[in-house]
Amino acid sequence: MATLTKHLTSLKFKDRSYTVDLAYPLVLEYFKAIKDTHLTTREQLHTALYLFVGKQADDLSIDDQTQLLVAIYKTYIFTDTDRRLAEFVKHEPKAFDNEQDQALIYSAFLQQYGIDLSDPDIRMQLSWSQYNALLDGLGEDTYFRRITSIRTMKIPDDASDEYKDYIKRMKTMYALVTHDGSGKLTKDEVKAILAPLDMPHKMLKLKELREKHRI
Protein backbone atom coordinates (compact mmCIF):
# COMPACT_ATOMS: atom_id res chain seq x y z
CA MET A 1 0.00 0.00 0.00
CA ALA A 2 1.19 3.53 -0.73
CA THR A 3 2.65 5.44 2.21
CA LEU A 4 0.42 8.29 3.36
CA THR A 5 1.81 11.73 4.03
CA LYS A 6 1.08 14.04 6.92
CA HIS A 7 -2.19 15.92 6.46
CA LEU A 8 -1.53 18.56 9.12
CA THR A 9 0.43 21.68 8.32
CA SER A 10 0.79 25.20 9.68
CA LEU A 11 0.09 28.61 8.25
CA LYS A 12 1.27 31.91 9.64
CA PHE A 13 -1.34 34.64 9.38
CA LYS A 14 -0.89 38.08 10.94
CA ASP A 15 1.87 37.00 13.34
CA ARG A 16 -0.06 33.96 14.48
CA SER A 17 0.45 30.33 13.51
CA TYR A 18 -2.54 28.13 12.71
CA THR A 19 -2.58 24.35 12.48
CA VAL A 20 -4.40 23.51 9.26
CA ASP A 21 -5.93 20.10 8.61
CA LEU A 22 -5.79 19.37 4.89
CA ALA A 23 -7.16 15.83 4.91
CA TYR A 24 -8.78 15.47 1.50
CA PRO A 25 -12.31 14.67 2.81
CA LEU A 26 -12.28 18.01 4.62
CA VAL A 27 -11.36 19.82 1.42
CA LEU A 28 -14.20 18.09 -0.41
CA GLU A 29 -16.58 19.13 2.39
CA TYR A 30 -15.26 22.68 2.02
CA PHE A 31 -16.25 22.71 -1.65
CA LYS A 32 -19.71 21.45 -0.72
CA ALA A 33 -20.11 24.12 1.94
CA ILE A 34 -19.23 27.05 -0.29
CA LYS A 35 -21.72 25.82 -2.91
CA ASP A 36 -24.51 25.17 -0.40
CA THR A 37 -27.20 27.73 -1.21
CA HIS A 38 -29.00 26.90 2.04
CA LEU A 39 -26.15 28.48 4.01
CA THR A 40 -25.60 32.20 4.38
CA THR A 41 -22.25 33.64 3.36
CA ARG A 42 -21.25 33.88 7.01
CA GLU A 43 -22.30 30.29 7.67
CA GLN A 44 -20.29 29.15 4.67
CA LEU A 45 -17.26 31.00 6.02
CA HIS A 46 -17.57 29.58 9.53
CA THR A 47 -18.16 26.05 8.24
CA ALA A 48 -15.16 26.21 5.92
CA LEU A 49 -12.82 27.58 8.58
CA TYR A 50 -13.99 25.06 11.16
CA LEU A 51 -13.16 22.24 8.75
CA PHE A 52 -9.58 23.46 8.37
CA VAL A 53 -8.64 25.06 11.70
CA GLY A 54 -11.36 24.06 14.16
CA LYS A 55 -12.01 26.82 16.69
CA GLN A 56 -8.62 28.50 16.30
CA ALA A 57 -10.11 31.40 14.33
CA ASP A 58 -13.23 31.98 16.45
CA ASP A 59 -11.80 35.16 17.99
CA LEU A 60 -10.98 36.77 14.64
CA SER A 61 -13.10 39.42 12.98
CA ILE A 62 -15.15 38.45 9.93
CA ASP A 63 -12.67 40.26 7.69
CA ASP A 64 -9.71 38.41 9.20
CA GLN A 65 -11.54 35.09 9.01
CA THR A 66 -12.20 35.74 5.34
CA GLN A 67 -8.56 36.62 4.70
CA LEU A 68 -7.41 33.52 6.57
CA LEU A 69 -9.65 31.27 4.49
CA VAL A 70 -8.40 32.90 1.28
CA ALA A 71 -4.82 32.35 2.44
CA ILE A 72 -5.50 28.66 3.12
CA TYR A 73 -7.18 28.28 -0.25
CA LYS A 74 -4.42 29.97 -2.24
CA THR A 75 -1.57 28.35 -0.32
CA TYR A 76 -2.76 24.76 -0.13
CA ILE A 77 -5.93 24.08 -2.13
CA PHE A 78 -5.72 26.04 -5.37
CA THR A 79 -2.10 27.08 -5.72
CA ASP A 80 -0.39 29.18 -8.40
CA THR A 81 0.51 25.95 -10.20
CA ASP A 82 -3.13 24.86 -10.10
CA ARG A 83 -4.22 28.22 -11.48
CA ARG A 84 -1.78 28.01 -14.38
CA LEU A 85 -2.96 24.49 -15.19
CA ALA A 86 -6.62 25.54 -14.97
CA GLU A 87 -5.96 28.37 -17.40
CA PHE A 88 -4.28 25.94 -19.80
CA VAL A 89 -7.19 23.47 -19.83
CA LYS A 90 -10.09 25.89 -19.33
CA HIS A 91 -11.54 25.13 -22.76
CA GLU A 92 -11.32 21.37 -22.30
CA PRO A 93 -14.35 19.35 -21.12
CA LYS A 94 -14.38 18.48 -17.43
CA ALA A 95 -12.98 14.98 -17.02
CA PHE A 96 -14.27 14.04 -13.57
CA ASP A 97 -16.07 15.16 -10.46
CA ASN A 98 -14.89 14.08 -7.01
CA GLU A 99 -18.43 13.63 -5.74
CA GLN A 100 -20.09 12.06 -8.79
CA ASP A 101 -17.12 9.78 -9.47
CA GLN A 102 -16.58 8.75 -5.86
CA ALA A 103 -17.16 5.04 -6.55
CA LEU A 104 -14.86 5.06 -9.59
CA ILE A 105 -12.11 6.80 -7.61
CA TYR A 106 -12.51 4.38 -4.71
CA SER A 107 -12.18 1.41 -7.04
CA ALA A 108 -9.17 2.87 -8.85
CA PHE A 109 -7.27 3.70 -5.65
CA LEU A 110 -7.86 0.21 -4.31
CA GLN A 111 -6.84 -1.41 -7.60
CA GLN A 112 -3.68 0.58 -8.22
CA TYR A 113 -2.44 1.61 -4.78
CA GLY A 114 -4.12 -0.76 -2.36
CA ILE A 115 -5.62 2.27 -0.61
CA ASP A 116 -9.10 1.67 0.80
CA LEU A 117 -10.79 5.06 0.81
CA SER A 118 -13.74 3.64 2.75
CA ASP A 119 -11.47 3.30 5.80
CA PRO A 120 -11.94 6.53 7.82
CA ASP A 121 -8.45 6.29 9.32
CA ILE A 122 -6.89 6.14 5.87
CA ARG A 123 -9.16 8.88 4.51
CA MET A 124 -8.22 11.30 7.26
CA GLN A 125 -4.49 10.64 6.82
CA LEU A 126 -4.53 11.36 3.11
CA SER A 127 -3.71 14.99 2.41
CA TRP A 128 -5.34 17.00 -0.36
CA SER A 129 -2.07 17.32 -2.28
CA GLN A 130 -1.32 13.60 -2.07
CA TYR A 131 -4.87 12.67 -3.01
CA ASN A 132 -4.56 14.76 -6.17
CA ALA A 133 -1.11 13.39 -6.97
CA LEU A 134 -2.39 9.82 -6.67
CA LEU A 135 -5.46 10.72 -8.71
CA ASP A 136 -3.27 12.14 -11.48
CA GLY A 137 -1.16 8.97 -11.41
CA LEU A 138 -4.00 6.53 -12.01
CA GLY A 139 -3.25 4.27 -14.97
CA GLU A 140 -5.21 3.62 -18.13
CA ASP A 141 -6.13 0.15 -16.86
CA THR A 142 -8.42 1.64 -14.20
CA TYR A 143 -12.10 2.03 -15.02
CA PHE A 144 -11.92 5.61 -13.75
CA ARG A 145 -9.33 6.53 -16.36
CA ARG A 146 -11.24 4.78 -19.15
CA ILE A 147 -14.37 6.78 -18.29
CA THR A 148 -12.52 10.10 -18.12
CA SER A 149 -10.93 9.32 -21.49
CA ILE A 150 -14.37 8.85 -23.02
CA ARG A 151 -15.54 12.17 -21.59
CA THR A 152 -12.61 14.12 -22.97
CA MET A 153 -11.91 12.35 -26.26
CA LYS A 154 -12.54 14.15 -29.52
CA ILE A 155 -14.45 12.34 -32.23
CA PRO A 156 -12.24 11.99 -35.34
CA ASP A 157 -13.63 13.74 -38.40
CA ASP A 158 -12.72 10.78 -40.60
CA ALA A 159 -14.41 8.21 -38.36
CA SER A 160 -17.32 6.19 -39.69
CA ASP A 161 -20.84 7.33 -38.86
CA GLU A 162 -21.30 4.15 -36.84
CA TYR A 163 -18.22 4.87 -34.73
CA LYS A 164 -19.22 8.51 -34.26
CA ASP A 165 -22.65 7.43 -33.03
CA TYR A 166 -21.05 4.93 -30.66
CA ILE A 167 -18.74 7.53 -29.12
CA LYS A 168 -21.61 10.00 -28.78
CA ARG A 169 -23.65 7.37 -26.94
CA MET A 170 -20.73 6.62 -24.64
CA LYS A 171 -20.20 10.32 -23.94
CA THR A 172 -23.88 10.74 -23.13
CA MET A 173 -23.96 7.65 -20.93
CA TYR A 174 -20.92 8.68 -18.87
CA ALA A 175 -21.44 12.44 -18.93
CA LEU A 176 -21.12 14.34 -15.68
CA VAL A 177 -24.39 15.66 -14.34
CA THR A 178 -24.72 19.43 -14.41
CA HIS A 179 -27.73 21.49 -13.49
CA ASP A 180 -29.37 24.45 -15.20
CA GLY A 181 -29.60 26.41 -11.95
CA SER A 182 -33.20 25.46 -11.19
CA GLY A 183 -32.34 22.04 -9.83
CA LYS A 184 -33.78 20.38 -12.93
CA LEU A 185 -31.79 18.08 -15.17
CA THR A 186 -30.91 19.08 -18.71
CA LYS A 187 -32.03 17.00 -21.70
CA ASP A 188 -28.54 15.53 -22.09
CA GLU A 189 -28.47 14.56 -18.42
CA VAL A 190 -31.81 12.80 -18.73
CA LYS A 191 -30.52 10.94 -21.80
CA ALA A 192 -27.43 9.84 -19.89
CA ILE A 193 -29.54 8.53 -17.02
CA LEU A 194 -31.94 6.65 -19.29
CA ALA A 195 -29.37 5.31 -21.79
CA PRO A 196 -28.48 2.03 -20.01
CA LEU A 197 -32.10 1.19 -19.05
CA ASP A 198 -34.62 -0.96 -20.88
CA MET A 199 -38.01 0.53 -21.75
CA PRO A 200 -39.96 -0.49 -18.59
CA HIS A 201 -37.21 0.88 -16.36
CA LYS A 202 -36.95 4.03 -18.49
CA MET A 203 -40.63 4.70 -17.78
CA LEU A 204 -40.18 4.09 -14.06
CA LYS A 205 -37.13 6.36 -13.94
CA LEU A 206 -38.99 9.14 -15.80
CA LYS A 207 -41.86 8.84 -13.32
CA GLU A 208 -39.40 9.08 -10.43
CA LEU A 209 -37.70 12.16 -11.91
CA ARG A 210 -41.04 13.90 -12.45
CA GLU A 211 -42.15 13.20 -8.89
CA LYS A 212 -38.89 14.69 -7.63
CA HIS A 213 -39.39 17.71 -9.92
CA ARG A 214 -36.10 16.99 -11.68
CA ILE A 215 -37.68 17.27 -15.15
Side-chain angles (χ1 to χ4, degrees), residues 190-191 193-210 215:
V190 174
K191 286 181 181 178
I193 292 170
L194 299 180
L197 304 178
D198 58 23
M199 186 53 67
H201 287 91
K202 278 184 169 70
M203 300 306 294
L204 288 172
K205 177 57 70 173
L206 283 170
K207 181 175 182 292
E208 176 189 335
L209 293 174
R210 289 192 186 98
I215 57 176

Side-chain angles (χ1 to χ4, degrees), residues 147-163:
I147 296 302
T148 58
S149 295
I150 289 172
R151 290 172 181 162
T152 57
M153 75 177 296
K154 295 180 180 179
I155 302 175
D157 292 333
D158 58 352
S160 67
D161 290 342
E162 182 179 0
Y163 182 72

Side-chain angles (χ1 to χ4, degrees), residues 132-191:
N132 282 289
L134 293 173
L135 196 62
D136 289 342
L138 290 173
E140 296 299 325
D141 59 330
T142 61
Y143 193 53
F144 168 80
R145 191 60 70 197
R146 292 200 291 270
I147 296 302
T148 58
S149 295
I150 289 172
R151 290 172 181 162
T152 57
M153 75 177 296
K154 295 180 180 179
I155 302 175
D157 292 333
D158 58 352
S160 67
D161 290 342
E162 182 179 0
Y163 182 72
K164 288 179 180 179
D165 288 342
Y166 169 75
I167 295 301
K168 288 177 181 178
R169 288 199 303 272
M170 291 299 99
K171 283 181 171 291
T172 300
M173 183 179 298
Y174 296 116
L176 292 169
V177 176
T178 55
H179 302 289
D180 63 6
S182 66
K184 294 185 180 294
L185 298 170
T186 65
K187 289 182 179 180
D188 286 341
E189 290 167 358
V190 174
K191 286 181 181 178

